[in-house]
Amino acid sequence: GSGGGLPNYTWSTDMFQWAALLLLAVTGKEWVGSIPSIPASLPLASELGDLLEQVLPQSPDRRLPLHHALRHTFLVSSVSNNSAQAQYDEEDATIEAADRIEALHQLCSLLRENNKSKGRFFVQVQRAAIIDTVITAFASASKKDLLLKLSCKFIGEDGIDAGGLTKEMYSVFFTALTSGDCPLFECDADAANPTFLPAKHTTPDTTDDLLLSYEAIGRVIGKAILDGMPVTASFHPCVFKALLRGCKKLKPNLHELEAFSSQEAQSCRQLLAMSDVSCLYLEFDEEDG
């Protein structure tokens, strides 16, 4: 980047990192300038190799854009037949939500299958300090760890994890995050069905620690999706939009404000309906999403 700042970070950077992670998950090898051979025993091995070839060029300008990658045969072959595939317009970047979800399920299934015999990611957590101990465990986890089968141990409790303890850890952790007692997330206390957003923090000296905590929570969410576990936290829809699209692309509207605080949304709509707001000394765009 210019001015001695960070290098330019674009969509092609995200695509490269996604493909490099997929390559690592499938082959156990990191990208070092060329793509190692894809095991022929893997489902759709040739299609996967073709996808990686198109997303991993060293030149960012040659990398396959996201909307084209989502239409690649490797991701859509199991969810679309030939007639359905023909409906996609090459000029249209819109992919049906159901196809995207099914493609994600297929990718997660492939990652689980390919890594089931490569060891386990062991975590030890305390039920009474579930948030802190889970965040600590996931903050130090490597990408390889997150691809392994999770094995959980509740400190001070008997039990061998055959899947039940992992499921319980996710459930207890996500419930605690949006219980109203966790300082990392906040809601409208008067809402009938509260949804939670990251809390506003104004202490500069805690910013780095907070970012590490939120990053670890993101890892837990990603790991839960990979493991096929429900994310039971009552997060506001904007949390998931930020995870999928990035914060810079978020443009919250009144419908999303209403999901957080119906009272605040109603107040905004009343202001927008006023023909003359000059007496309020307010300046805002008259836009209702």
Side-chain angles (χ1 to χ4, degrees):
S2 61
L6 292 174
N8 290 332
Y9 194 101
T10 66
W11 63 264
S12 64
T13 310
D14 288 330
M15 290 302 298
F16 184 89
Q17 292 182 340
W18 169 79
L21 178 59
L22 177 58
L23 176 67
L24 176 65
V26 171
T27 66
K29 299 178 182 179
E30 296 186 1
W31 187 88
V32 290
S34 63
I35 299 175
S37 60
I38 305 298
S41 58
L42 286 178
L44 302 172
S46 61
E47 289 85 351
L48 174 58
D50 180 71
L51 174 60
L52 292 175
E53 288 283 358
Q54 295 187 61
V55 182
L56 286 174
Q58 290 186 340
S59 173
D61 295 336
R62 294 176 53 207
R63 292 173 194 159
L64 195 67
L66 173 61
H67 61 277
H68 287 297
L70 288 172
R71 290 201 295 263
H72 191 276
T73 307
F74 174 71
L75 293 178
V76 302
S77 61
S78 68
V79 296
S80 300
N81 56 28
N82 291 335
S83 60
Q85 187 71 21
Q87 73 182 353
Y88 292 128
D89 185 346
E90 288 298 323
E91 300 299 323
D92 187 3
T94 302
I95 306 296
E96 293 296 329
D99 284 353
R100 291 188 183 189
I101 293 172
E102 194 60 36
L104 176 61
H105 286 323
Q106 180 186 356
L107 177 60
C108 289
S109 178
L110 174 66
L111 293 176
R112 287 195 297 268
E113 180 67 22
N114 194 60
N115 288 277
K116 66 180 182 181
S117 61
K118 294 184 178 180
R120 288 180 177 253
F121 171 34
F122 293 94
V123 298
Q124 295 191 52
V125 299
Q126 289 183 332
R127 193 178 296 274
I130 189 68
I131 294 177
D132 290 340
T133 51
V134 170
I135 285 177
T136 298
F138 277 79
S140 59
S142 67
K143 290 181 180 179
K144 289 184 178 181
D145 290 335
L146 297 176
L147 293 171
L148 299 176
K149 183 175 178 62
L150 183 62
S151 185
C152 178
K153 166 69 176 176
F154 281 87
I155 298 174
E157 301 181 22
D158 295 330
I160 297 175
D161 190 6
L165 292 179
T166 291
K167 184 176 182 179
E168 184 177 4
M169 183 208 75
Y170 282 126
S171 177
V172 175
F173 175 73
F174 287 131
T175 298
L177 280 183
T178 55
S179 66
D181 297 325
C182 175
L184 294 172
F185 292 90
E186 63 184 0
C187 69
D188 178 6
D190 298 325
N193 298 296
T195 59
F196 289 76
L197 287 167
K200 182 179 180 180
H201 298 274
T202 57
T203 308
D205 58 352
T206 63
T207 300
D208 290 343
D209 290 339
L210 285 170
L211 289 176
L212 290 174
S213 294
Y214 286 122
E215 181 180 356
I217 292 171
R219 291 182 175 191
V220 181
I221 293 173
K223 180 62 174 165
I225 294 173
L226 176 60
D227 291 346
M229 298 292 181
V231 179
T232 55
S234 302
F235 290 134
H236 188 277
C238 280
V239 173
F240 296 103
K241 286 185 177 181
L243 290 173
L244 289 170
R245 304 175 185 174
C247 293
K248 291 183 179 180
K249 293 186 178 181
L250 281 183
K251 294 182 179 180
N253 54 44
L254 281 179
H255 297 304
E256 288 164 342
L257 175 59
E258 188 169 27
F260 183 76
S261 173
S262 58
Q263 183 175 354
E264 294 292 340
Q266 182 179 2
S267 297
C268 286
R269 287 196 169 93
Q270 290 174 346
L271 287 175
L272 290 169
M274 295 176 64
S275 58
D276 182 9
V277 295
S278 59
C279 61
L280 300 176
Y281 301 99
L282 297 175
E283 293 183 3
F284 50 83
D285 294 329
E286 192 168 314
E287 178 180 347
D288 184 350

